Amino acid sequence: MASNQDQPWLLENGNLKGLVKENRTGRTAHNMSSSSLRKKSDLTLVSKIPCSLLRQFLANLQEVTLGTKLSILFPAIPLAILAQCFGFARPWVFALSLIGLMPLAERVSFLTEQISFYTGPTVGGLLNATCGNATELIIAIFALAQHKIAVVKYSLLGSILSNLLLVLGTSLFCGGIANIRKEQKYDRRQADVNSLMLLLALLCHLLPMLFTFAAGASASVTSDPSLHLSRASCIVMLIAYTAYIVFQLWTHRELFEAQEESEDDGVVSDEAPVIGFWSGIVWLIGMTAVIALLSEYVVGTIEEASDSWGLSVSFISIILLPIVGNAAEHAGAIIFAFKNKLDITLGVALGSATQIAVFVVPLCVIIAWIMGINMDLNFSVIETGSLALSILAVAFTLQDGTSHYLKGLVLLLCYIIIGACFFVTESPLHHSNIVNPGLKSSNTAVFGA
């Protein structure tokens, strides 16, 4: 192997990029999941460039764009921009933007992990805790800016359902088939913590809807108290998420650290960073800006795609958006299930669901509050009922600390029937979130009216 002096592109600001292994602590399940889709880049040609600045830029560019197995999807990003600029059909802009978001989500995880090499595991964990679902949060903010509250609720609900049922179900099913003659076990303690957090989120989602039913009054009478209750519940959830982060990163870190994998398992071992600290910051800002641009395209074209494809906005938001947006992370969870590494799989699926339910959803309500938009936690009966039954199904599935393919199959079938429910539901984009007993919701109600 060449020495560091022979590889000057590994130096940035006079400091060696590589760090000793002793400075690296256990990695989270999200880090391990993302690593399963990475590949090493060959920097032979880049090393021959005489200009050090150009060599460093091209090395970083190669690591960021070609260091993932999803690099083949990067051309969708300029195609989406061109389709938007030249006025192509709006469904094409929507589809290309969705495809372009897939590798970007994985690259954000890669960059946050690279930065964590320099900041330490605690700050790196905080970055992962806040940026782990950056794509969903950015899409939600753009939807809020356009007063498309239904898209926000649908997409966030879909992300929770996708992680709990589709990802976990597929992982347990595939892992059970691949290891059918092996006993599959996992640490119940992490699953119990996440299940408890999800039940808290479910309570906060249920109360605004139950309050509306119990009041038995018109929407104008119950809307303000329900909104105030939702905002109070969001503050409680954010406090709980803060405690969850302290629990995860300080007091009980050992429960959430994933065992290191070797290269023999097909996972790139990242014992040293391949991108400098400031380069990682710049690339992370750039990736976030591109995600924001594509998110704006997605939100602006979702109605046209719905009309063109004959699919309801609820189905696209709850089923398609989460599947595409988290495809890289989901694939990693399934890969580790094949290897009978269920602790990593559960950390990805349950960790993402918990982060969205207890952090992203209440944060969106608070952001909407700051923007002067009335967004509450009343997701209506079908949405809230689907969330409740999904959380309960997962809690029962994981209660004994063992797994087999039948558990995964049942969770997967639950997701399919929920998807079928939203497929046949013709929910308009602009609908009332208030549910009154004995009254049919109007299909012509408009937000802000």
Side-chain angles (χ1 to χ4, degrees):
M1 180 180 295
S3 65
N4 294 324
Q5 288 77 12
D6 297 332
Q7 298 177 338
W9 65 89
L10 291 178
L11 296 174
E12 184 169 348
N13 300 327
N15 297 320
L16 182 64
K17 283 178 163 185
L19 301 180
V20 294
K21 183 175 182 179
E22 285 75 14
N23 292 337
R24 187 66 169 159
T25 60
R27 302 164 68 194
T28 66
H30 290 272
N31 298 141
M32 297 298 297
S33 175
S34 299
S35 299
S36 65
L37 293 177
R38 294 173 194 164
K39 60 182 181 180
K40 292 184 177 180
S41 300
D42 186 4
L43 299 177
T44 304
L45 294 178
V46 175
S47 63
K48 297 179 181 179
I49 298 177
C51 179
S52 60
L53 290 178
L54 180 60
R55 180 172 60 247
Q56 179 181 310
F57 171 76
L58 292 178
N60 289 340
L61 179 64
Q62 182 172 336
E63 290 288 354
V64 172
T65 57
L66 300 180
T68 173
K69 298 175 183 178
L70 299 177
S71 58
I72 192 175
L73 301 179
F74 272 115
I77 299 175
L79 290 177
I81 297 175
L82 291 176
Q84 173 71 14
C85 294
F86 289 97
F88 285 16
R90 307 293 280 174
W92 278 104
V93 178
F94 179 82
L96 290 172
S97 299
L98 276 185
I99 296 174
L101 287 172
M102 294 173 64
L104 290 175
E106 190 276 332
R107 292 288 85 185
V108 167
S109 175
F110 163 73
L111 291 170
T112 54
E113 184 176 357
Q114 292 294 303
I115 294 173
S116 70
F117 276 100
Y118 302 93
T119 60
T122 300
V123 177
L126 289 174
L127 281 174
N128 186 72
T130 53
C131 300
N133 296 99
T135 303
E136 291 89 340
L137 182 58
I138 293 174
I139 291 177
I141 292 175
F142 275 98
L144 283 175
Q146 299 183 27
H147 290 257
K148 296 181 180 180
I149 302 178
V151 173
V152 179
K153 292 185 174 182
Y154 287 149
S155 61
L156 296 180
L157 172 67
S159 294
I160 300 173
L161 296 179
S162 175
N163 279 289
L164 291 180
L165 300 180
L166 177 62
V167 179
L168 187 56
T170 305
S171 299
L172 296 183
F173 177 75
C174 294
I177 295 296
N179 303 276
I180 196 167
R181 299 190 182 278
K182 297 180 182 178
E183 185 179 24
Q184 293 184 287
K185 292 185 177 181
Y186 50 85
D187 191 344
R188 278 188 52 194
R189 294 175 295 175
Q190 182 184 166
D192 290 343
V193 171
N194 284 289
S195 297
L196 183 62
M197 297 296 293
L198 288 170
L199 288 173
L200 171 63
L202 176 59
L203 176 65
C204 294
H205 282 78
L206 276 173
L207 288 180
M209 186 187 71
L210 296 177
F211 173 81
T212 304
F213 272 102
S218 63
S220 60
V221 175
T222 60
S223 59
D224 286 343
S226 177
L227 182 62
H228 298 328
L229 177 60
S230 297
R231 290 170 176 172
S233 299
C234 289
I235 295 175
V236 170
M237 282 193 286
L238 291 177
I239 294 174
Y241 186 73
T242 303
Y244 173 75
I245 293 302
V246 173
F247 184 88
Q248 183 181 28
L249 298 181
W250 282 281
T251 61
H252 292 72
R253 174 184 288 175
E254 68 279 359
L255 298 182
F256 297 88
E257 288 183 347
Q259 295 181 352
E260 294 290 340
E261 297 291 316
S262 64
E263 293 186 15
D264 295 335
D265 292 323
V267 179
V268 177
S269 180
D270 293 324
E271 291 298 343
V274 295
I275 293 180
F277 175 75
W278 290 110
S279 294
I281 294 292
V282 172
W283 279 105
L284 182 61
I285 294 174
M287 287 288 180
T288 304
V290 178
I291 290 176
L293 179 64
L294 296 184
S295 299
E296 184 179 8
Y297 292 167
V298 167
V299 174
T301 58
I302 189 171
E303 295 176 75
E304 289 85 348
S306 174
D307 295 335
S308 176
W309 298 344
L311 300 174
S312 64
V313 172
S314 60
F315 181 81
I316 293 178
S317 302
I318 293 177
I319 304 300
L320 295 186
L321 284 182
I323 292 178
V324 175
N326 296 318
E329 192 175 63
H330 295 175
I334 297 173
I335 289 173
F336 280 104
F338 271 108
K339 300 173 183 176
N340 202 16
K341 303 290 184 179
L342 292 185
D343 286 323
I344 299 177
T345 296
L346 293 179
V348 173
L350 295 182
S352 292
T354 300
Q355 187 178 76
I356 295 171
V358 191
F359 175 66
V360 179
V361 172
L363 183 61
C364 287
V365 174
I366 300 299
I367 293 175
W369 188 6
I370 296 174
M371 297 170 64
I373 301 173
N374 295 333
M375 175 182 173
D376 59 17
L377 292 177
N378 187 354
F379 280 36
S380 81
V381 178
I382 295 179
E383 289 84 353
T384 307
S386 299
L387 177 63
L389 295 176
S390 299
I391 293 176
L392 292 176
V394 171
F396 278 110
T397 300
L398 302 178
Q399 64 180 343
D400 62 350
T402 63
S403 177
H404 46 73
Y405 71 89
L406 183 59
K407 289 185 176 181
L409 179 61
V410 171
L411 293 181
L412 192 57
L413 292 177
C414 289
Y415 185 77
I416 292 175
I417 193 61
I418 290 176
C421 175
F422 289 107
F423 180 80
V424 300
T425 301
E426 294 293 335
S427 295
L429 180 61
H430 304 288
H431 68 85
S432 174
N433 291 312
I434 305 299
V435 181
N436 289 313
L439 296 177
K440 294 183 180 180
S441 60
S442 173
N443 289 334
T444 59
V446 179
F447 279 118

